[in-house]
Amino acid sequence: MNRVVFLLALAVLINYIDRSNLSIAAPLLQNELHISNTQLGALLAAFFWTYGLMQIPAGWLVDRLDVKWVFAAGFFIWCSATSITGILHGFAALIAIRVILGLGESIVFPSCSKILSTYFTETRRGFANALLMAGLSLGPALGILVGGTAVEAFGWRPFFLVLGFGGLLWIAPWLAWMPRTPPRVPVSSALIGIPAILRQRSAWGTCLGQFCVNYFLYFLVTWLPSYLKRGRGFSLAEVGRYGGLLFLMSAIAAIVAGKLSDQWIKAGATPTHVRKGTLVAGQIGFGICLVLTALTHGAVFVVMLALTGAFLGIGCCSTWAVTQTVAGPLAAGRWTGVQNFAGNMAGWVAPVLTGYLVDRTGRFEWAFFITAAVAWTGALAWGLIVGPVEPVDWEQTASPLVAGRAVAGPAPAAGASLP
């Protein structure tokens, strides 16, 4: 499965390049379309409308159908939408294609959770998820670093065309290397619906925690290039270097933290202490460094930007590892869908709120301070609301429903499949 994990990490990398590429082109696109910061925020947020709304259906699909083909179909849709973006003119057309992009990308994290919860044990999930988070961070890093230079040299339209058509090459090795998903265990899986998941306290904690993670992540993905360009006065090449530095540090920190967390668990520590401790420490540190980034200048600013990236990686690397352990293979896709649906409401808020604040104040500082407060709220959610990181006993959870369905006949014999 190592080749499959590599492809998943590569898919997440492409995913985040394709969802962040509009922010790289934003300064040129804003001048071309003559739109305000608030309108630009709406354009940056349009992706999240369908991406968030489709999370629960996507989780249901990957738990019920072969994840191999669900992932391939979604990948084709989003790469096609990326390439089409490069030939569109007009604000409304760009809004529409970003909505389609969100539809295609919605399958990514439910699919990843389904695969990792099925094929990977607890002591291997930290590093596997860290590789996904590294792809998540390297996507914006490469997008900003390479994209800033490419957009400055060739314009933003060729950039989108190359990204879209180039990304389609991923599908061939995926179809060759990804095995068919083994048949799901019949034990009460059909009874693990959204109400059963929402009866778990940890589900509410992971939903709030994911909202906070996504808020500060999407703040950086959608507005960091504009902040560096307009708020700090950097050239596009400098935007690429400094923005790439933040996300490169995030990728490195995620891989290191993920590997160390697995080793810590192998040495006898509990997943609860390791996974939750990593998330809490990372998000507290992220908020502190983000505030200092907004207030410092010169070399200190660059150091704070790098440390913000490092804590970003630490604060994100275990989010899905928690869910995969608690939900287990029976419900990983659906739980991830619920969690990512709640989390991606942040994508509806962060880009628009940031644009509104910049329009009203002419500065970025308040957006930074609010984002830091959200990160600290996330630390509270992961630390206090999420319960022990251990598998839910879905048999016990589903038993009242089974009893209710058994009114018309005797209960199924021990070991028999539930209807």
Side-chain angles (χ1 to χ4, degrees):
M1 290 299 293
N2 290 335
R3 293 185 300 182
V4 171
V5 173
F6 168 77
L7 285 178
L8 290 176
L10 182 59
V12 172
L13 184 148
I14 296 170
N15 177 296
Y16 267 80
I17 290 178
D18 287 348
R19 76 170 66 179
S20 64
N21 51 20
L22 196 67
S23 66
I24 300 161
L28 299 180
L29 188 147
Q30 190 172 15
N31 291 334
E32 180 180 321
L33 299 181
H34 306 292
I35 59 177
S36 68
N37 289 310
T38 302
Q39 287 176 302
L40 177 60
L43 183 57
L44 293 169
F47 161 86
F48 299 103
W49 300 342
T50 46
Y51 181 78
L53 289 173
M54 286 302 297
Q55 286 301 308
I56 292 175
W60 184 89
L61 283 173
V62 301
D63 275 342
R64 294 299 185 94
L65 304 178
D66 189 347
V67 67
K68 173 179 180 175
W69 295 102
V70 175
F71 205 147
F75 197 98
F76 178 81
I77 291 171
W78 100 57
C79 285
S80 299
T82 297
S83 60
I84 291 171
T85 303
I87 63 174
L88 294 179
H89 298 267
F91 182 72
L94 288 170
I95 286 279
I97 202 64
R98 293 292 289 182
V99 166
I100 295 172
L101 178 71
L103 174 67
E105 290 200 6
S106 66
I107 53 85
V108 173
F109 286 102
S111 298
C112 290
S113 282
K114 179 68 175 181
I115 293 167
L116 295 186
S117 66
T118 300
Y119 291 100
F120 285 78
T121 61
E122 179 65 61
T123 56
R124 296 177 61 206
R125 283 188 197 134
F127 185 62
N129 279 282
L131 290 177
L132 302 187
M133 294 303 104
L136 180 153
S137 298
L138 287 175
L142 292 175
I144 295 174
L145 183 61
V146 178
T149 304
V151 168
E152 189 173 44
F154 304 107
W156 67 273
R157 295 184 184 278
F159 179 55
F160 278 79
L161 291 168
V162 170
L163 284 177
F165 288 118
L168 290 172
L169 298 175
W170 177 93
I171 295 177
W174 173 257
L175 295 179
W177 294 346
M178 177 62 197
R180 290 183 59 85
T181 305
R184 58 185 175 86
V185 183
V187 182
S188 65
S189 179
L191 299 179
I192 308 173
I194 306 305
I197 292 171
L198 292 180
R199 281 196 292 271
Q200 307 299 318
R201 187 189 79 180
S202 289
W204 294 93
T206 60
C207 285
L208 176 58
Q210 194 66 41
F211 176 91
C212 297
V213 167
N214 284 357
Y215 189 99
F216 60 73
L217 177 61
Y218 294 153
F219 166 74
L220 293 172
V221 167
T222 56
W223 278 101
L224 181 63
S226 291
Y227 167 69
L228 294 174
K229 173 73 174 167
R230 295 161 50 201
R232 293 287 178 164
F234 294 134
S235 68
L236 281 177
E238 289 173 321
V239 168
R241 286 200 299 272
Y242 293 125
L245 172 65
L246 183 149
F247 288 107
L248 178 61
M249 290 297 296
S250 176
I252 293 171
I255 291 174
V256 172
K259 188 65 175 179
L260 289 177
S261 67
D262 283 348
Q263 295 298 324
W264 193 3
I265 291 172
K266 287 180 181 177
T270 67
T272 300
H273 290 150
V274 175
R275 306 296 188 211
K276 291 174 61 172
T278 302
L279 288 166
V280 170
Q283 290 174 35
I284 291 174
F286 173 87
I288 293 170
C289 291
L290 190 67
V291 169
L292 294 176
T293 297
L295 298 177
T296 55
H297 300 275
V300 177
F301 165 76
V302 176
V303 172
M304 287 300 107
L305 200 65
L307 287 175
T308 298
F311 280 110
L312 173 66
I314 296 169
C316 291
C317 70
S318 295
T319 53
W320 298 118
V322 170
T323 299
Q324 290 153 20
T325 297
V326 175
L330 285 176
R334 277 162 285 186
W335 188 309
T336 299
V338 171
Q339 179 177 328
N340 221 17
F341 167 74
N344 277 280
M345 290 181 183
W348 305 354
V349 178
V352 177
L353 178 58
T354 300
Y356 173 78
L357 290 171
V358 174
D359 272 343
R360 287 296 301 270
T361 67
R363 303 174 65 86
F364 282 87
E365 282 82 356
W366 274 108
F368 274 73
F369 300 155
I370 289 172
T371 303
V374 171
W376 295 328
T377 302
L380 292 174
W382 293 107
L384 300 180
I385 302 177
V386 174
V389 181
E390 56 190 35
V392 172
D393 185 349
W394 292 115
E395 286 280 8
Q396 182 177 0
T397 300
S399 59
L401 296 175
V402 175
R405 290 188 178 190
V407 172
S417 299
L418 295 173

